[in-house]
Amino acid sequence: MSENSVQRWGQMFSSNRILVLLGFVAIVLLGNLGYSLLRGDIALSTVSSYFWSGILVGLIYGLAGVGLSMTYSILNFANFSHGDLMTAGAFGGWSATYVIAGLGVADFGSRILVRAGGGAQPAELGVSVLGTPFSIFVGLLVAVAFTILVALVIDRFVYKPMRSENGIALLIASIGVALVLRYLIQFVYGGRNRGVTESVQRWDVLPFLSDYGSINPHEFTLMVVAVGLMIGVHAVLQYTKLGKAMRAMADNQDLALVTGIPTERVVTWTWIIGAGLTGAAGFLVVLERGVIDFNLGWGLLLFVFAAVILGGIGSIYGAISGGLVIGLTSEMSRIWIPSDFTTAAAFVLMILVLVVKPSGLFGGVKTA
């Protein structure tokens, strides 16, 4: 091999050393997993369970991240109240679910406040996708509508008067909005963590693989609704006049205004779509977990931000892919490290990817 070839290979290795390191670590981990499976140290059902859980968690991060990414790309600020909008949507939706599901069974006060002070247990009301499908469906719609209403009110009285300010001022304002929303929710619904759905029997979708071929109906609902909403957003952004206007504003707001695009209308629709997806994510994560509390969205916010940053700020596809990467990493890493450290593993991977590609996986792609 010539001296020039050696130098060229050395330069390539130096510039891509992080990628080489990631590839080496991935090979070692996969080899270790294969060896553990062969020895019987870990069951295939456990691995499949972690993988499926990572997909579900990733879909939640991705769905919520789409709204956050749209807000950033079009309104140019990081919205720290995004997590608490998820919480507002979750409580609004589950209030509607309980009002309908508990008719004639529990008193109205306990139903509207989602069992804030106790009341009938979820099993008594039969609250589940299989037991009360209509109330779950209505709850999802209410979660979307209620979150949109809250977001539009906040925009009208907080963000719109500050539209000409820089991103830092809006960011600080969003932190204040987040605190107000969170503790208003706690004041109304209480601070108690409580269950809201009854246990449901898993479906054997692969009978010949019964140990790892089953699925929870609530998990299945989350997957179908989340994927459907993501496809819907893609269709809106790519094939409608509104989507083209949004992409134009994300690329250059001043030029969009000069060319006659109704920027305020686009901003309104940004809040409607983004908040609607966020409210749906809040409702669905409670459906899958079965519990709700006033810190729900705040606990998820950091992961949603990580998904958006990893995928590339401003790209809905980046938010979705980043959410799946964060979700799968945090769940699958339980195979090799204690569960207390899985969050750190997800963020270490995010940092390593950003070192290689600072703009994120889909960096440079705005909104779509």
Side-chain angles (χ1 to χ4, degrees):
M1 184 179 292
S2 67
E3 184 178 346
N4 290 337
S5 298
V6 172
Q7 291 178 349
R8 186 164 58 252
W9 278 102
Q11 291 173 354
M12 288 177 60
F13 178 80
S14 177
S15 62
N16 296 292
R17 57 187 180 277
I18 300 297
L19 286 176
V20 173
L21 175 62
L22 286 174
F24 176 75
V25 171
I27 292 171
V28 171
L29 291 177
L30 289 174
N32 174 263
L33 175 58
Y35 180 68
S36 298
L37 286 170
L38 289 174
R39 286 190 56 185
D41 294 335
I42 186 171
L44 185 58
S45 59
T46 301
V47 178
S48 65
S49 174
Y50 290 162
F51 181 80
W52 175 241
S53 179
I55 292 291
L56 294 175
V57 172
L59 286 173
I60 288 295
Y61 296 159
L63 187 61
V66 169
L68 183 62
S69 187
M70 290 177 66
T71 303
Y72 184 89
S73 63
I74 294 177
L75 302 179
N76 292 316
F77 80 99
N79 182 15
F80 271 79
S81 66
H82 196 77
D84 295 286
L85 283 174
M86 288 180 67
T87 310
F91 273 102
W94 283 100
S95 288
T97 298
Y98 264 71
V99 166
I100 297 173
L103 282 172
V105 180
D107 65 280
F108 181 79
S110 67
R111 295 186 346 250
I112 193 68
L113 295 179
V114 197
R115 301 180 56 243
Q121 295 293 320
E124 296 178 54
L125 305 181
V127 180
S128 69
V129 168
L130 301 180
T132 57
F134 178 72
S135 66
I136 296 291
F137 176 71
V138 172
L140 177 62
L141 295 181
V142 170
V144 170
F146 182 70
T147 311
I148 290 172
L149 177 62
V150 171
L152 290 177
V153 169
I154 292 171
D155 179 60
R156 174 64 181 83
F157 293 102
V158 180
Y159 300 136
K160 187 174 181 179
M162 302 177 64
R163 200 89 80 206
S164 59
E165 301 295 327
N166 59 44
I168 297 298
L170 285 165
L171 184 150
I172 298 300
S174 73
I175 294 174
V177 170
L179 292 172
V180 171
L181 261 181
R182 190 176 318 144
Y183 292 109
L184 183 61
I185 291 169
Q186 183 187 23
F187 176 77
V188 174
Y189 289 97
R192 188 171 62 90
N193 185 335
R194 64 267 199 186
V196 294
T197 63
E198 70 167 334
S199 299
V200 291
Q201 186 175 2
R202 300 182 70 87
W203 293 335
D204 287 329
V205 293
L206 299 174
F208 56 95
L209 299 174
S210 58
D211 288 339
Y212 44 91
S214 63
I215 185 173
N216 186 309
H218 292 166
E219 297 171 349
F220 179 76
T221 302
L222 185 159
M223 181 188 68
V224 171
V225 174
V227 171
L229 289 174
M230 291 173 181
I231 293 173
V233 172
H234 163 75
V236 168
L237 291 174
Q238 292 293 336
Y239 305 115
T240 68
K241 187 176 180 180
L242 173 63
K244 293 177 181 177
M246 285 182 167
R247 286 185 280 129
M249 273 197 68
D251 288 335
N252 191 320
Q253 290 195 22
D254 293 332
L255 182 60
L257 183 62
V258 169
T259 54
I261 292 176
T263 54
E264 276 302 318
R265 188 182 303 171
V266 172
V267 168
T268 298
W269 274 105
T270 299
W271 281 116
I272 290 173
I273 296 174
L277 296 175
T278 303
F283 184 88
L284 291 171
V285 73
V286 173
L287 177 67
E288 189 266 333
R289 292 181 176 181
V291 295
I292 192 170
D293 73 278
F294 78 101
N295 271 319
L296 168 72
W298 178 247
L300 296 173
L301 182 63
L302 187 59
F303 295 96
V304 175
F305 264 108
V308 171
I309 294 170
L310 176 61
I313 297 178
S315 168
I316 65 165
Y317 307 123
I320 295 168
S321 61
L324 289 171
V325 170
I326 295 292
L328 284 169
T329 303
S330 62
E331 293 298 316
M332 293 295 290
S333 60
R334 295 163 64 185
I335 296 171
W336 299 282
I337 61 177
S339 57
D340 292 341
F341 299 99
T342 56
T343 297
F347 282 93
V348 167
L349 178 63
M350 181 194 75
I351 292 169
L352 291 174
V353 171
L354 292 177
V355 168
V356 177
K357 193 171 183 181
S359 59
L361 298 174
F362 285 74
V365 181
K366 293 294 185 180
T367 300

